[in-house]
Amino acid sequence: MAAGGGRAVGIDLGTTYSCVAVWRDDRGEVIPNDQGNRLTPSCVAFTNTERLVGEAAENQAGRNPANTIFEVKRLMGRRFTDESVQEDIELWPFKVVAGRDDRPMIVVQNEGQSRQFTPEEISAAVLTKMEETAEVYLGTTVKNAVITVPVYFSNSQRQATMDAGAIAGLNVMQIINEPTAAAIAYGLEKMPVTNEGRLVLVFDLGGGTFDVSLLNIDPGLDIDMGLYEFIREHRKTDIRSNLRALRRLRTACERAKRILSSSTETTIEVDSLHDGIDFYSTITRSRFEELNKGLFSSCMEALKKCLCDANVDKSKVRDVVLVGGSTRIPKVQSMLRDFFDGKELCRSINPNEAVAYGAAIQASVLSGETGDGTVGDMLLLDVTPLSLGIEVVTFGAKTIIYDEMYVVIPRNTAILVRKTKKNFSTFFDNQCSILVKVYEGESVSTRDNNLLGEFELIGIPPAPAGVPSIDVTFDIDANGVLNVSAEDMTTGLEEQYQHH
């Protein structure tokens, strides 16, 4: 709910760019920053004298690569030892180390000393920039915000996003999924529906994430990297140790990707890239498409799996909504049109801005700013992206299974939701405590799922194995954040899992 005065805004906290919007006078407005741009680079830099955010940070990245942080969204809510984190670290010019509880920490030189920041603190700097951008534009304080996240974001990643908002001094009214916000932006909730409903597919291909609808997710795509790796591998000299050269080359590749969406050919030029040697190369759209053929194919496979999981034929999809800057790529659009037998794609709103626009509408609904006849009566129902459960020990015919995933809340369950599973018990005689390990994922074995956290219920009265009765309750709030509790029904003792 809204807290204090001021306006409520919607913020798309993106991997590459962020965007802020507001709903006022019965319409949505995407807010330009102090440079007049409607998108702000999700980039934070540290110098000897100050902290820079947005364009100011990005513009000096080439000469200060080790202290310029980008793509921090990839670190949010993750562990340092996660495979995806280790892969990203190999590509980044800035330093990431293991902190307490295996949390990734970003190391920079700031004001003459080495400092460490959490991913949430870096994201908070971006959120503060968006807050200040809105306050200047609106001429009033802004403390309330709806912030968007990818569908696949886990419980810890959603909580990390809320933590970033709190560090920035924002009251995070709600966390909503990016495709949901995009659907709101396109006004699909107002379109006429058949008795069977209106099936909408949101194809969200951004700078660092890929979401298909609400059912199937493939995180971690990076289209710029195909071009970047091709050029890096085909140079006669190895520039991997030159952080400044790597950053300048990556920026040039991103620029080329954007140009190739409207032109069939462009050049990649970087003056004095390495050892005083200038870099110049021509790249055609067809070559770019060939370099990214594997990524584009994986997107289409995810789309097919999405429809298969939902048991929906593609002919039943009424609308295909494009979200994210990379959906401007002609090859992506042609593949989608071909797959849906020539169907026109929904492009009435700038795909870079749709998510923030929809978040602003939801923010206005939650704050009560929308009037009659607009969107004030809209009801937002989101779902859980992954199954949630606990690890249990079960007895087979001849074996004991120690790492079975017992699902309490299946994926695609509508939130808010609270479910209690009864009659868990002890494994040994006179066992006086149980360790509750909370997981998310679709595997029958917890070894292949993601451990969210664990807690111990202590003080169970001595009794034979299987006699105590323990109830476990899962509670998901409107932000998709999970709380778990376990209660001994004999004594009333209770413990809870909470995010740290």
Side-chain angles (χ1 to χ4, degrees):
M1 301 304 273
R7 302 302 299 263
V9 298
I11 299 176
D12 174 8
L13 183 61
T15 307
T16 311
Y17 291 94
S18 293
C19 184
V20 59
V22 66
W23 178 273
R24 63 175 181 174
D25 300 327
D26 290 343
R27 67 186 184 92
E29 298 178 52
V30 176
I31 300 174
N33 62 21
D34 53 1
Q35 301 297 309
N37 299 320
R38 293 154 73 94
L39 298 179
T40 298
S42 302
C43 187
V44 179
F46 297 87
T47 71
N48 288 331
T49 58
E50 60 185 336
R51 184 187 74 184
L52 305 172
V53 183
E55 286 92 347
E58 190 174 62
N59 291 341
Q60 56 83 72
R63 62 180 182 272
N64 185 29
N67 300 304
T68 302
I69 316 305
F70 56 94
E71 295 181 353
V72 73
K73 186 172 178 177
R74 295 179 184 268
L75 290 175
M76 294 283 284
R78 294 191 183 276
R79 296 183 178 90
F80 177 80
T81 52
D82 285 352
E83 183 178 351
S84 64
V85 170
Q86 292 301 308
E87 290 173 353
D88 286 333
I89 290 174
E90 288 294 313
L91 299 172
W92 287 333
F94 52 89
K95 187 176 181 180
V96 181
V97 300
R100 183 171 58 88
D101 297 328
D102 199 29
R103 298 182 66 188
M105 300 294 293
I106 300 156
V107 182
V108 299
Q109 296 297 314
N110 180 224
E111 298 179 352
Q113 60 181 349
S114 178
R115 300 183 62 188
Q116 293 190 6
F117 293 93
T118 65
E120 292 83 357
E121 289 174 316
I122 301 298
S123 286
V126 177
L127 288 172
T128 297
K129 175 71 173 179
M130 307 317 293
E131 175 188 1
E132 293 171 349
T133 294
E135 288 182 337
V136 170
Y137 182 81
L138 298 170
T140 184
T141 59
V142 170
K143 288 300 176 188
N144 302 308
V146 169
I147 303 176
T148 61
V149 296
V151 177
Y152 69 83
F153 254 29
S154 67
N155 179 72
S156 57
Q157 289 171 305
R158 291 168 190 270
Q159 184 63 57
T161 303
M162 294 187 67
D163 292 345
I167 294 170
L170 288 168
N171 170 47
V172 181
M173 304 165 73
Q174 192 175 2
I175 298 289
I176 64 173
N177 291 332
E178 289 164 4
T180 304
I184 295 171
Y186 279 89
L188 296 172
E189 78 285 350
K190 287 186 168 185
M191 291 184 178
V193 296
T194 66
N195 290 334
E196 297 178 352
R198 187 181 187 101
L199 290 173
V200 175
L201 184 135
V202 178
F203 191 94
D204 185 349
L205 185 57
T209 59
F210 171 48
D211 294 347
V212 183
S213 184
L214 298 176
L215 298 176
N216 192 60
I217 292 85
D218 183 9
L221 295 182
D222 194 333
I223 290 175
D224 304 338
M225 287 305 298
L227 187 56
Y228 168 78
E229 288 293 345
F230 170 75
I231 292 173
R232 197 180 77 172
E233 290 172 8
H234 283 73
R235 279 192 54 83
K236 293 181 179 179
T237 55
D238 188 358
I239 64 171
R240 283 177 293 183
S241 61
N242 189 327
L243 299 182
R244 183 168 182 245
L246 289 173
R247 175 61 199 186
R248 295 175 69 211
L249 179 59
R250 186 164 181 156
T251 299
C253 289
E254 182 188 355
R255 186 182 302 114
K257 176 195 71 173
R258 293 170 177 273
I259 294 173
L260 288 174
S261 290
S262 56
S263 302
T264 57
E265 184 177 291
T266 189
T267 58
I268 299 176
E269 299 179 67
V270 184
D271 294 338
S272 189
L273 175 64
H274 184 63
D275 289 340
I277 302 173
D278 297 340
F279 177 81
Y280 177 91
S281 179
T282 299
I283 185 78
T284 63
R285 181 186 291 175
S286 60
R287 185 60 176 140
F288 172 76
E289 291 173 353
E290 180 64 27
L291 289 171
N292 286 285
K293 183 178 179 180
L295 286 178
F296 295 155
S297 296
S298 68
C299 291
M300 298 309 295
E301 288 303 314
L303 170 57
K304 294 173 185 177
K305 187 175 186 300
C306 166
L307 295 172
C308 180
D309 284 352
N311 195 27
V312 169
D313 187 86
K314 65 181 181 180
S315 64
K316 301 295 184 182
V317 174
R318 292 286 299 276
D319 304 286
V320 179
V321 176
L322 299 185
V323 180
S326 294
T327 57
R328 296 180 187 275
I329 297 172
K331 183 64 174 179
V332 172
Q333 295 185 10
S334 66
M335 291 174 74
L336 282 170
R337 274 193 296 266
D338 290 345
F339 180 79
F340 286 103
D341 302 321
K343 179 185 291 294
E344 279 304 308
L345 310 174
C346 295
R347 293 180 289 173
S348 58
I349 293 181
N350 187 323
N352 295 105
E353 302 171 357
V355 171
Y357 191 106
I361 296 175
Q362 178 66 4
S364 71
V365 171
L366 294 176
S367 63
E369 294 173 3
T370 51
D372 293 338
T374 56
V375 293
D377 58 350
M378 183 183 68
L379 176 62
L380 175 62
L381 293 176
D382 241 327
V383 298
T384 58
L386 297 168
S387 297
L388 298 161
I390 61 173
E391 185 175 81
V392 296
V393 178
T394 59
F395 297 89
K398 295 183 179 179
T399 60
I400 299 175
I401 304 173
Y402 288 95
D403 59 357
E404 182 174 342
M405 172 77 166
Y406 185 95
V407 175
V408 178
I409 297 180
R411 67 177 177 146
N412 294 330
T413 298
I415 55 176
L416 308 162
V417 62
R418 179 184 175 92
K419 287 192 176 183
T420 299
K421 295 296 184 180
K422 299 179 178 295
N423 299 322
F424 292 102
S425 194
T426 52
F427 184 67
F428 301 107
D429 290 340
N430 300 319
Q431 185 176 333
C432 61
S433 67
I434 61 168
L435 180 65
V436 181
K437 302 177 75 172
V438 183
Y439 287 85
E440 62 182 0
E442 309 310 317
S443 174
V444 295
S445 171
T446 55
R447 286 177 297 180
D448 300 319
N449 291 335
N450 180 44
L451 175 65
L452 293 176
E454 59 186 44
F455 64 97
E456 193 170 13
L457 178 64
I458 302 173
I460 301 171
V467 170
S469 179
I470 311 295
D471 287 2
V472 176
T473 299
F474 278 50
D475 193 337
I476 303 179
D477 65 18
N479 301 306
V481 175
L482 171 70
N483 286 289
V484 182
S485 63
E487 182 180 3
D488 178 5
M489 302 311 294
T490 301
T491 64
L493 287 172
E494 183 177 0
E495 286 292 340
Q496 293 186 349
Y497 157 75
Q498 294 180 334
H499 176 83
H500 294 286

